[in-house]
Amino acid sequence: KPGYDRAGQWEITPDSIWIYGLSQKIDSLQSISIQPLLMDNIDNDISEQVKLTPLDQIEYETEKVMIKASVKRFTEKSLEALINIKNLPDSLAIKLFPQSLKVTFLVLIDKAEGILPSDFSFFCDFKEAQSNDQNTLEILLKNEPKGVRNVRWSPKKVDYLIRK
């Protein structure tokens, strides 16, 4: 449902099962898939039995597993964060245009107030400027606070001037 999302990881029970079949089939098997779980307008925790996807010439000790996930309210939040420079020689000073960016992300509604711009670390690598002829640098995300997802930012590149 809009405004809701999975909080945390999927829990699958059991997390492993016995399988039977031809040894060459079993030796090449890395994982077993579950059949798709189709649900609409989810606004509370998920706890469902799902069937394992059948595999040719392989039998399972059980045909179903239990999957669980916590579902909570999320909100989208936007902040203005500063852009840092790395690999800038001590002999140079540069000015970025703009010096900050707008970062937008999803976060649990009860954690939204605790997320600050300083929790994000965006940077440009000056080594990139030496390898291209343009006066723009790509903005990269180094750190983000725990619990945020779908992090987007704008602009993706900044202009710069070298001060001498």
Side-chain angles (χ1 to χ4, degrees), residues 5 74-77 104-108 147-150 152:
D5 205 347
F74 277 75
T75 188
E76 187 171 85
K77 184 173 181 176
T104 304
F105 53 92
L106 289 177
V107 63
L108 282 168
V148 301
R149 57 176 72 165
N150 196 19
R152 308 173 311 280

Side-chain angles (χ1 to χ4, degrees), residues 8-134:
Q9 298 297 318
W10 287 101
E11 185 182 314
I12 303 173
T13 308
D15 65 351
S16 57
I17 62 167
W18 287 98
I19 60 172
Y20 309 95
L22 297 173
S23 61
Q24 59 265 42
K25 288 270 190 185
I26 291 174
D27 291 345
S28 66
L29 190 62
Q30 297 290 319
S31 62
I32 298 171
S33 300
I34 60 171
Q35 294 190 346
L37 176 64
L38 303 174
M39 300 173 74
D40 291 328
N41 292 319
I42 300 169
D43 60 2
N44 52 22
D45 293 349
I46 298 169
S47 181
E48 294 287 327
Q49 287 246 338
V50 291
K51 287 185 176 184
L52 299 172
T53 303
L55 293 173
D56 189 37
Q57 298 178 339
I58 292 187
E59 293 182 40
Y60 307 132
E61 86 177 305
T62 182
E63 296 296 316
K64 294 181 180 180
V65 293
M66 175 67 74
I67 63 168
K68 294 181 181 181
S70 176
V71 175
K72 302 218 179 203
R73 276 196 73 115
F74 277 75
T75 188
E76 187 171 85
K77 184 173 181 176
S78 294
L79 299 169
E80 195 78 17
L82 293 176
I83 306 166
N84 298 304
I85 300 284
K86 77 175 193 177
N87 296 320
L88 182 67
D90 292 337
S91 61
L92 288 180
I94 70 170
K95 180 153 175 85
L96 299 178
F97 298 99
Q99 294 179 333
S100 63
L101 54 76
K102 181 181 177 183
V103 58
T104 304
F105 53 92
L106 289 177
V107 63
L108 282 168
I109 206 159
D110 57 347
K111 305 271 189 217
E113 290 301 314
I115 305 291
L116 303 172
S118 58
D119 295 332
F120 291 89
S121 178
F122 289 95
F123 73 94
C124 296
D125 190 345
F126 191 71
K127 282 184 181 177
E128 179 190 324
Q130 297 162 336
S131 65
N132 69 33
D133 294 338
Q134 300 151 350

